[in-house]
Amino acid sequence: MKLLEVENISKTYKIGEVEVRALQDVSLTIHAGEFIAIMGPSGSGKSTLMHLLGFLDRPDSGTVRLMGRDTSRLSDEAYAFLRNRVVGFVFQQFNLMARSTALENVCLPLLYSDDRAGDLDRSREMLARVGLSNRTGHRPNELSGGQQQRVAIARALVTKPLMILADEPTGNLDSRAGQEILGIFRELHRQGMTIVLVTHGEEVGKEAERVVRMHDGKIVSDERRIPAKEQSVTGIADLDRGGSLRKKRYNYGEFFEHFRLARRVVLNNKLRSFLSILGVLIGVACVITMLALGRGAAESVKEDLARMGSNLLTIRPGSVKVRGASVEAGAATRLTLDDARAIAAVPSVRRVSPQVTGQGQLVFEDKNWTTRVIGAVPEYAPMRNQEPVAGRFFTSDENQRRLRVALVGQTVQKNLFGTEDPIGKTIKINRVNFQILGILPSRGASAFHDQDDMVVIPLMTAMKRLMGKDYLDQVDAEITELGAMPAAQEEISALIIRRHHLTPDRYDSFNIRNFADIQAALSSTTRTFGILLGSVATISLVVGGIGIMNIMLVSVKERTREIGLRKALGATSRDILVQFLVEAVMITFLGGLTGIVLAGVVSWLIATFAKWKMIITFGSLCLAFLFSAGVGILFGLWPAKQAAALDPIRSLRYE
Ligand code: ADP
Ligand code: MG
């Protein structure tokens, strides 16, 4: 039965201007069960012919027929299928994967086959067949040349091909090892395998039942010593369910294998992998930190609003601005106690809290502390949710009498008194004695400063005794209901304009803001920081992606021979593409993972030292993972495509 026929095939190589006609009009028919020796001087075109017979290359002209079927129109994918299932190729250079064991090497073609059931057992069986059952775990560098070639033969046999093509399989071996290898071929032939063998040794030629001699790209003689037996083979149709000669589906086992392979590559190049993930690592860490910061800020604004009540208006002096620049320091409207009283008289205002603010040097025994001093009235406590947690607030009467009493925030308490109870103790504020009445509740840190770092004293005491101010820094007004807010704002504004005889150009010499405005202003600071992190993240991810791309390109270059081998054994372009994509994505995933750890550490540091609220959500982790996977695919695609496009023969020759 005719297994493979080539008819008038030619192949010409071009090197620059020079054309090498490696094959000229060659015709040859290979019958099932034959043992053919191809002989001829070096450069006569034997290897070129073998590559065409083995579907590793295509002829320039002429036809290659497999069991009567013309293969010239078949796709590259179909060619990969034929390499995998029809032909077992044995190379002079063995072409084993150096880092894999004998067993793994034999298994390799099965990775690309859709018939891989029991792959390990089959591979072991093949190794036993070539007499290597006790060397399954050895790597190529732990085997002799003859043993390596036997592994290669087992690899060629494992997919149960229709024929074995061997291109000078004994060329790199000493004569004894060569004899052993030939013995194996002889035995395979005896069992019915079709074998085509390129050889230099005349004695081998004598053994073969048919000898084909080549010279200058032509077949010069073809002698058959024993007539071809009529042997049938399982038709290609059995392999090819459906007629397209193509692997039916991409199996999960293959994907898992790619995953294992990628892991091995990463582990074998630890430093290189680490350096290449740095960009992604920083990018992902920035993304997560940014999101955690944003979430934390939003959360603390919400908490503040809930705590302080959203129906507060804050009236403050502001300076006149002309084209965005302050005109002069004194241009602000100075709010007085009378203003505060007038505001309190507005019907929609329930109560007001006038305040002054200043710096104070606090001394208790041998301890010093500089803090914010707030002069306030008793309304301050309920309006700002600052009812003391211990002791009591001062009364209106105490305020009018300008008593030297104070309430301390928790940071002040901690720094001046430690664990001591401060209530009833006397401290000095700017060298004036004050008695501690109570302790303020903790408000935590928000928007860049510690809100517990302050003391509150009576307004009148502050104005007349401590700061010598006759004007207010701020008046808070509580509005009876939220709906009356805009009207109240208008009314108060009109009131101040009237009381201070303000001309329109000075309307902005004071400002009224509701609490939501203030919070918005505060959170814009965190937003700015977030934008900064966001741009660092973007740049890092792009730079990281380029890093990944670079390392993948190097990897593809380095592993050109490996890629060539995989293709020669039946890997399709898509198999190679997926292999390298898996690798790129794995590297970026590692970057993503370490980025998450780094983000955790950084967020913790920010939360601890800057006292900002940081919230890392599950969603942001997912987003980071998606980001890194996206970068991996995006930047890994090009190198992977380069790998997938490589030509098997040229890649195998790559040095
Ligand atoms: P053999 O295996 O009989 O020694 P080859 O088939 O390898 O011969 O080569 C036949 C001719 O084609 C030689 O002259 C060789 O230089 C040339 N040749 C083979 N492969 C290539 C190639 N990839 N590019 C250019 N020339 C090639
Ligand atoms: Mg050759």
Side-chain angles (χ1 to χ4, degrees):
M1 183 183 179
K2 287 175 183 169
L3 185 59
L4 195 60
E5 297 169 84
V6 292
E7 220 172 78
N8 305 326
I9 52 170
S10 299
K11 182 85 188 175
T12 305
Y13 296 108
K14 271 201 197 81
I15 310 171
E17 294 295 295
V18 188
E19 287 195 353
V20 181
R21 305 189 67 185
L23 284 182
Q24 303 175 44
D25 265 344
V26 170
S27 300
L28 182 71
T29 302
I30 298 166
H31 297 270
E34 272 187 323
F35 190 153
I36 304 176
I38 296 182
M39 306 186 75
S42 176
S44 57
K46 306 179 298 292
S47 294
T48 306
L49 177 63
M50 292 295 268
H51 296 157
L52 295 176
L53 294 175
F55 306 100
L56 284 163
D57 207 350
R58 294 174 190 252
D60 297 335
S61 63
T63 49
V64 179
R65 262 196 288 275
L66 177 65
M67 305 177 101
R69 180 170 173 174
D70 185 4
T71 61
S72 57
R73 283 184 200 286
L74 290 177
S75 66
D76 286 349
E77 210 179 331
Y79 260 56
F81 177 87
L82 295 179
R83 289 198 285 271
N84 187 246
R85 302 301 304 272
V86 173
V87 185
F89 214 103
V90 178
F91 303 90
Q92 182 178 348
Q93 290 83 4
F94 322 137
N95 287 332
L96 298 178
M97 304 266 283
R99 289 183 184 275
S100 305
T101 62
L103 188 66
E104 287 166 335
N105 266 293
V106 175
C107 259
L108 191 57
L110 290 174
L111 176 62
Y112 303 113
S113 161
D114 55 357
D115 172 29
R116 54 190 309 240
D119 53 352
L120 283 175
D121 290 337
R122 270 158 75 181
S123 305
R124 264 189 217 104
E125 186 194 320
M126 288 308 149
L127 279 171
R129 222 164 134 183
V130 296
L132 283 182
S133 8
N134 54 349
R135 293 283 188 279
T136 53
H138 288 55
R139 284 170 214 284
N141 61 0
E142 296 157 351
L143 296 170
S144 72
Q147 287 170 329
Q148 289 183 52
Q149 193 60 300
R150 283 195 261 168
V151 173
I153 294 172
R155 181 180 64 190
L157 290 171
V158 78
T159 54
K160 302 201 178 79
L162 301 184
M163 59 179 164
I164 296 282
L165 301 182
D167 191 355
E168 300 192 44
T170 59
N172 281 13
L173 300 176
D174 58 49
S175 59
R176 235 198 74 201
Q179 283 307 320
E180 281 170 19
I181 294 299
L182 289 171
I184 292 174
F185 283 121
R186 222 176 286 132
E187 177 58 23
L188 286 172
H189 171 240
R190 208 184 50 73
Q191 292 164 6
M193 179 61 81
T194 312
I195 292 169
V196 182
L197 185 121
V198 172
T199 179
H200 278 306
E202 280 297 329
E203 67 277 17
V204 185
K206 286 195 193 92
E207 260 178 57
E209 40 185 56
R210 184 178 166 195
V211 177
V212 173
R213 287 179 198 276
M214 294 188 70
H215 194 81
D216 279 347
K218 288 183 182 139
I219 292 183
V220 291
S221 77
D222 183 351
E223 27 175 320
R224 197 188 297 272
R225 294 219 195 76
I226 305 156
K229 302 182 281 250
E230 260 321 303
Q231 182 180 323
S232 67
V233 285
T234 32
I236 180 97
D238 284 357
L239 298 175
D240 164 35
R241 308 166 301 235
S244 61
L245 291 177
R246 130 152 39 121
K247 192 169 69 171
K248 288 306 173 289
R249 68 201 123 78
Y250 195 87
N251 54 56
Y252 290 111
E254 190 173 348
F255 192 78
F256 183 71
E257 196 57 36
H258 284 154
F259 186 78
R260 250 172 39 111
L261 191 77
R263 194 188 59 186
R264 189 189 286 189
V265 170
V266 169
L267 288 181
N268 282 339
N269 303 289
K270 283 193 199 72
L271 182 64
R272 192 166 100 175
S273 303
F274 173 71
L275 291 177
S276 58
I277 65 173
L278 269 182
V280 174
L281 189 158
I282 294 169
V284 165
C286 283
V287 170
I288 296 179
T289 311
M290 179 182 76
L291 293 174
L293 186 75
R295 255 319 259 279
E299 201 69 14
S300 55
V301 165
K302 233 195 285 170
E303 277 174 18
D304 280 357
L305 277 175
R307 191 166 48 211
M308 315 265 299
S310 49
N311 51 348
L312 275 191
L313 279 180
T314 296
I315 303 113
R316 276 184 178 163
S319 48
V320 182
K321 288 195 176 146
V322 175
R323 287 187 211 99
S326 302
V327 177
E328 52 184 293
T333 295
R334 290 190 156 180
L335 297 169
T336 62
L337 271 172
D338 284 339
D339 288 332
R341 270 179 222 118
I343 293 169
V346 170
S348 54
V349 172
R350 182 183 292 146
R351 51 190 172 183
V352 295
S353 159
Q355 288 157 48
V356 291
T357 313
Q359 281 280 107
Q361 177 75 28
L362 274 55
V363 180
F364 174 70
E365 291 172 351
D366 58 342
K367 289 191 214 84
N368 258 287
W369 188 251
T370 305
T371 189
R372 207 152 47 99
V373 180
I374 294 176
V377 294
E379 283 80 3
Y380 175 85
M383 283 170 68
R384 285 268 168 172
N385 225 340
Q386 286 284 74
E387 304 285 6
V389 288
R392 62 174 182 88
F393 216 83
F394 47 80
T395 63
S396 195
D397 180 51
E398 284 165 331
N399 176 33
Q400 291 305 332
R401 284 160 51 205
R402 302 175 193 175
L403 287 193
R404 289 169 311 198
V405 289
L407 288 101
V408 290
Q410 304 209 342
T411 303
V412 174
Q413 180 205 348
K414 226 175 287 159
N415 285 287
L416 281 187
F417 300 98
T419 51
E420 241 179 285
D421 182 9
I423 294 173
K425 300 265 160 44
T426 301
I427 58 168
K428 282 190 195 306
I429 304 179
N430 294 351
R431 288 196 287 276
V432 179
N433 280 334
F434 278 79
Q435 197 186 13
I436 309 284
L437 275 189
I439 302 168
L440 296 168
S442 174
R443 296 204 295 182
S446 91
F448 306 96
H449 68 254
D450 181 357
Q451 301 196 75
D452 296 331
D453 190 6
M454 62 171 184
V455 291
V456 175
I457 61 175
L459 178 68
M460 299 313 290
T461 315
M463 290 175 79
K464 307 296 178 198
R465 290 197 165 193
L466 205 65
M467 301 175 190
K469 282 182 177 176
D470 52 6
Y471 56 90
L472 301 168
D473 292 312
Q474 176 173 332
V475 179
D476 287 348
E478 189 180 299
I479 310 305
T480 46
E481 54 174 327
L482 214 52
M485 203 81 152
Q489 209 160 333
E490 284 289 309
E491 215 170 324
I492 293 168
S493 183
L495 180 79
I496 292 170
I497 289 169
R498 201 167 59 239
R499 286 178 56 84
H500 289 264
H501 312 291
L502 296 180
T503 49
D505 60 317
R506 290 184 42 101
Y507 281 178
D508 54 359
S509 62
F510 69 95
N511 61 56
I512 304 180
R513 289 196 291 180
N514 58 45
F515 197 72
D517 289 344
I518 298 169
Q519 287 299 340
L522 293 179
S523 62
S524 85
T525 321
T526 43
R527 204 175 313 130
T528 310
F529 193 76
I531 289 169
L532 192 79
L533 274 177
S535 22
V536 173
T538 314
I539 295 169
S540 300
L541 284 176
V542 170
V543 171
I546 294 170
I548 301 277
M549 179 142 75
N550 184 34
I551 216 70
M552 290 308 295
L553 284 173
V554 170
S555 183
V556 169
K557 261 260 145 33
E558 260 179 11
R559 286 153 67 194
T560 302
R561 280 178 63 89
E562 177 199 320
I563 296 165
L565 174 66
R566 286 175 183 276
K567 286 200 139 183
L569 297 178
T572 60
S573 297
R574 198 177 62 159
D575 291 326
I576 302 294
L577 185 83
V578 172
Q579 179 190 333
F580 278 86
L581 271 187
V582 166
E583 203 174 305
V585 170
M586 179 183 271
I587 292 177
T588 39
F589 254 29
L590 281 178
L593 214 61
T594 30
I596 286 172
V597 174
L598 182 66
V601 173
V602 169
S603 297
W604 180 80
L605 286 176
I606 293 180
T608 312
F609 291 106
K611 298 247 165 65
W612 295 357
K613 205 176 189 116
M614 305 291 289
I615 300 174
I616 297 182
T617 60
F618 181 69
S620 73
L621 297 187
C622 292
L623 192 75
F625 254 123
L626 283 181
F627 251 134
S628 50
V631 167
I633 290 176
L634 193 72
F635 289 91
L637 196 60
W638 192 52
K641 277 200 157 151
Q642 302 247 303
L646 288 175
D647 169 80
I649 285 304
R650 222 168 299 151
S651 310
L652 271 175
R653 290 231 177 105
Y654 183 85
E655 289 304 326

